[in-house]
Amino acid sequence: METVLKIILLVAIFSVSFISCGDVNKKIDDKIETLIKKAETLDSILNKEVEKVSTLDSLITKEHKNMMKLDSLIQKSTTIIDSVVNKIIKPENK
């Protein structure tokens, strides 16, 4: 009889242990799922911000090219104006 009580007590202890482990596993799974959803949300936000930075970078590059063209035109105009001014100020001896 004493052996049967020990076996019943042992089965009861294992049962309680397995039930509590199952509950802990469910809580852990829920927490992991929540973390995965948050990580996906952050990834989406990060991708949107990277796209914005990329768009801004391409706009800056385009504007830089425009500035280079404008600078070139200004240089040409300056050269022409300098030439005209020099002809007026210092006429060539004819």
Side-chain angles (χ1 to χ4, degrees):
M1 187 72 175
E2 189 176 303
T3 307
V4 173
L5 287 175
K6 287 181 183 179
I7 292 174
I8 291 174
L9 183 61
L10 190 60
V11 168
I13 291 173
F14 280 126
S15 297
V16 169
S17 296
F18 285 130
I19 290 171
S20 65
C21 287
D23 193 36
V24 169
N25 282 339
K26 183 176 178 351
K27 288 180 182 179
I28 290 173
D29 288 341
D30 291 343
K31 292 288 185 181
I32 289 173
E33 188 65 32
T34 303
L35 287 173
I36 289 171
K37 287 179 182 177
K38 287 181 180 180
E40 289 172 351
T41 302
L42 287 174
D43 187 50
S44 174
I45 291 170
L46 183 63
N47 286 338
K48 288 178 185 176
E49 294 302 317
V50 167
E51 287 176 20
K52 288 179 183 178
V53 169
S54 182
T55 301
L56 183 61
D57 185 52
S58 72
L59 286 173
I60 290 170
T61 302
K62 181 180 175 183
E63 291 302 316
H64 178 69
K65 288 179 182 178
N66 289 339
M67 291 298 295
M68 296 297 287
K69 288 178 184 177
L70 184 61
D71 186 53
S72 175
L73 289 173
I74 290 171
Q75 289 293 334
K76 288 179 184 177
S77 298
T78 302
T79 303
I80 292 170
I81 291 171
D82 284 346
S83 175
V84 169
V85 167
N86 283 333
K87 284 182 182 179
I88 293 173
I89 292 177
K90 298 178 184 179
E92 290 183 26
N93 292 333
K94 293 186 180 181

